[in-house]
Amino acid sequence: VADWQGNLTMTSLQLNLNLPPTPVQHGYALFAGAIPELARARIDGRFSLRATLSLPSQVLTLEPRLEGMAVQGLGTEQWTQARSACGRGLPSLTLGPSSPLARAVLAAEDQRFFEHPGYDLAEVRQALHSNRHAARPRGASTRSQQVAKLLGTGGERSPVRKLRELLYAVEMEQTLGKAHILR
């Protein structure tokens, strides 16, 4: 049960929402009709949210938290055989975490790759904050989520796709590991 609180003055309104730790599976259940993977996925973990909306300034602050998320049943272990078409005909490269190419990709796209479990809530918070008035919104996808997009969810731009990516990214982190995701 979420806790709501409001403060109304002659010139402003501030609404506060506090959603206590709730099973992630319950949150995903809200999208059961739109996310076919939920029929076979086993999802553990808890999420919570603190949100504030100030009017008339229209400032929305979101502070999501995600604890202990784990996913099983999506079959990402089969993705160990996935290969990029980009390297066809080129000599085989060993792409380890310390290779210059890997370091460049991570520096540009996912600096905390070796620290997060497939999602980066600090990056999500930054994107939510900076995208409020941005003409060109910035993303918050991790490298794992990008691989999930390529191998599992496709390129459709929607919040539902991002939720699907999250499921695959978390499971991939558990089944494939960082080194294989990077390759």
Side-chain angles (χ1 to χ4, degrees):
V1 175
D3 175 35
W4 288 87
Q5 182 182 32
N7 185 21
L8 178 63
T9 69
M10 295 294 283
T11 59
S12 68
L13 171 64
Q14 182 170 331
L15 298 173
N16 299 301
L17 166 72
N18 185 29
L19 178 66
T22 303
V24 173
Q25 185 174 0
H26 292 179
Y28 268 95
L30 298 171
F31 302 94
I35 301 177
E37 291 87 349
L38 294 178
R40 65 183 190 276
R42 289 181 308 283
I43 306 168
D44 293 319
R46 300 175 80 70
F47 75 96
S48 59
L49 175 70
R50 286 182 39 192
T52 302
L53 174 62
S54 298
L55 298 172
S57 64
Q58 299 181 352
V59 174
L60 175 64
T61 304
L62 297 171
E63 295 179 38
R65 296 189 201 294
L66 196 50
E67 301 164 2
M69 186 169 177
V71 179
Q72 297 175 328
L74 298 179
T76 58
E77 63 278 351
Q78 297 172 9
W79 293 355
T80 57
Q81 305 307 313
R83 298 289 178 255
S84 170
C86 298
R88 285 202 183 119
L90 297 175
S92 175
L93 294 174
T94 302
L95 187 59
S98 61
S99 75
L101 179 57
R103 288 195 334 254
V105 166
L106 295 180
E109 298 183 8
D110 190 356
Q111 294 84 18
R112 289 185 287 273
F113 177 74
F114 290 104
E115 300 163 20
H116 63 64
Y119 56 89
D120 188 344
L121 284 182
E123 196 64 27
V124 170
R125 286 184 197 104
Q126 260 315 87
L128 288 169
H129 177 72
S130 65
N131 288 347
R132 282 193 299 229
H133 304 292
R136 246 183 114 200
R138 72 177 255 188
S141 292
T142 63
R143 191 75 195 129
S144 304
Q145 288 171 302
Q146 293 168 9
V147 171
K149 176 181 169 185
L150 290 171
L151 297 178
T153 66
E156 165 201 359
R157 289 186 163 263
S158 75
V160 169
R161 188 205 81 216
K162 298 302 278 184
L163 290 171
R164 291 176 63 218
E165 269 178 27
L166 177 60
L167 292 174
Y168 282 110
V170 169
E171 185 178 276
M172 272 192 309
E173 292 273 339
Q174 298 160 351
T175 61
L176 302 180
K178 297 284 188 183
H180 194 79
I181 291 168
L182 187 56
R183 274 195 297 276

